[in-house]
Amino acid sequence: MQADKNAVGDPRPIGVFDSGVGGLTVMRSLIDLLPNESFIYFGDTARTPYGPKPAADVLKFSIQISELLAERDVKVLVDACNTSTAVALEALTERLNTPIVGVIEPGIRAAREATRSGRVGVIGTVGTIESGAYERTAAVVAPEIALIGAACPGFVEFVEAGDIDSHQVHVLAQRLLAPVIEAEVDTLVLGCTHYPMLARTISDVMGPDVVLVSSADETAFSVSLMLAADDIHASKNSAATHEFLTSGNTATFAELGSRFLGPEVEQVKGWSW
Ligand code: DGL
């Protein structure tokens, strides 16, 4: 008799990576939507931040990490970092045999659903905004929307320092968000892993009529569709395990990571190239 495929499922883990701890905001959505799946998360905390680095470096790091995770037999890879998705997703898709999902296209799709005026802002790191990746993706996925980008250097550092709503962060937000306020957007894509943590401050500055869109939930939904299309879901009875690898200090990752993800951050292992 043939084994019931649904009972067995595909127990291989899903690989998720980011420049550091920020991608855990995407992993939160993945775990919530796909509670039976196991995950391996790689945070490149030794080389974070990627945002201000040259695109060639971010590409090199992204290839290194995705190859490392592919060798661990992950069934799907999630590039949870906006900066890496912006400069490396195309190259990774060509290079790897493992299917890979980035965070930019899901963010654009979510914005397309949310906007009424068609005027959409996107904020991200300098690397993400300068790459033009959001504009290129929107031209294909949602050509009807007008996209206005603004880089927000400094936001990541505030979040990592645990400061998400001080007077200083408000003042910085008022300055950095001025271009998207002036452009009268009705929807703002939080195009960086860390920005959902600043949602309240950003919303205060943007005003109550602007919808904030985070790509995390939409990315998780894309992964779920991919698992269904390839019939590679884990079984409903499987006990999910989560493993965390960091190129930096394991204790720092665990401390900071639990603020982004929650209690699932355990079993943090160090990794050196
Ligand atoms: N993970 C990065 C992103 O989403 C933010 C942090 C960094 O600059 O490395 O763009």
Side-chain angles (χ1 to χ4, degrees), residues 18-20 22-23 48-52 80-84 125 128 156 160 191-194:
D18 177 51
S19 56
T48 203
Y50 283 5
C81 178
N82 279 264
T83 312
S84 165
T125 65
T128 298
V156 165
E160 295 208 351
C192 173
T193 48
H194 288 57

Side-chain angles (χ1 to χ4, degrees), residues 4-270:
D4 174 359
K5 200 153 178 250
N6 286 332
V8 179
D10 185 337
R12 288 177 300 160
I14 294 169
V16 183
F17 68 95
D18 177 51
S19 56
V21 288
L24 293 170
T25 55
V26 179
M27 186 142 155
R28 177 74 271 149
S29 296
L30 284 160
I31 292 177
D32 290 345
L33 188 68
L34 302 164
N36 300 115
E37 300 294 339
S38 294
F39 292 91
I40 304 182
Y41 181 95
F42 190 100
D44 197 7
T45 32
R47 300 187 291 200
T48 203
Y50 283 5
K53 292 201 166 68
D57 287 353
V58 175
L59 176 63
K60 189 176 106 191
F61 301 159
S62 304
I63 291 173
Q64 246 178 356
I65 299 166
S66 52
E67 286 182 347
L68 157 77
L69 290 171
E71 273 164 26
R72 294 188 165 225
D73 199 25
V74 295
K75 55 187 171 185
V76 172
L77 266 169
V78 180
D79 185 343
C81 178
N82 279 264
T83 312
S84 165
T85 300
V87 303
L89 187 69
E90 234 174 271
L92 296 178
T93 308
E94 278 171 21
R95 204 178 169 101
L96 300 166
N97 291 322
T98 314
I100 180 161
V101 176
V103 283
I104 291 184
E105 190 180 323
I108 294 282
R109 274 195 269 109
R112 186 187 58 195
E113 296 311 309
T115 185
R116 298 166 306 279
S117 67
R119 299 186 66 72
V120 173
V122 57
I123 52 173
T125 65
V126 171
T128 298
I129 298 303
E130 283 188 351
S131 74
Y134 270 92
E135 285 83 353
R136 282 196 298 281
T137 307
V140 177
V141 178
E144 69 281 16
I145 65 175
L147 208 59
I148 298 96
C152 293
F155 275 7
V156 165
E157 289 75 5
F158 269 107
V159 171
E160 295 208 351
D163 180 354
I164 51 172
D165 55 7
S166 67
H167 176 66
Q168 285 91 329
V169 76
H170 262 87
V171 170
L172 180 66
Q174 270 157 352
R175 181 164 63 76
L176 297 174
L177 297 173
V180 283
I181 294 173
E182 276 157 29
E184 297 186 341
V185 302
D186 74 350
T187 302
L188 183 67
V189 181
L190 306 180
C192 173
T193 48
H194 288 57
Y195 298 176
M197 310 282 279
L198 288 173
R200 186 185 291 182
T201 294
I202 294 171
S203 187
D204 275 354
V205 173
M206 294 302 298
D209 296 333
V210 175
V211 179
L212 302 188
V213 165
S214 143
S215 52
D217 287 349
E218 197 73 19
T219 302
F221 186 60
S222 298
V223 172
S224 158
L225 290 180
M226 193 176 263
L227 298 181
D230 294 347
D231 199 11
I232 52 172
H233 270 290
S235 95
K236 289 201 171 58
N237 310 319
S238 61
T241 58
H242 306 317
E243 191 183 339
F244 299 89
L245 298 173
T246 173
S247 56
N249 182 284
T250 52
T252 311
F253 181 96
E255 200 274 312
L256 202 53
S258 53
R259 276 200 261 142
F260 283 78
L261 180 68
E264 288 90 348
V265 182
E266 38 186 45
Q267 280 201 64
V268 182
K269 295 183 191 144

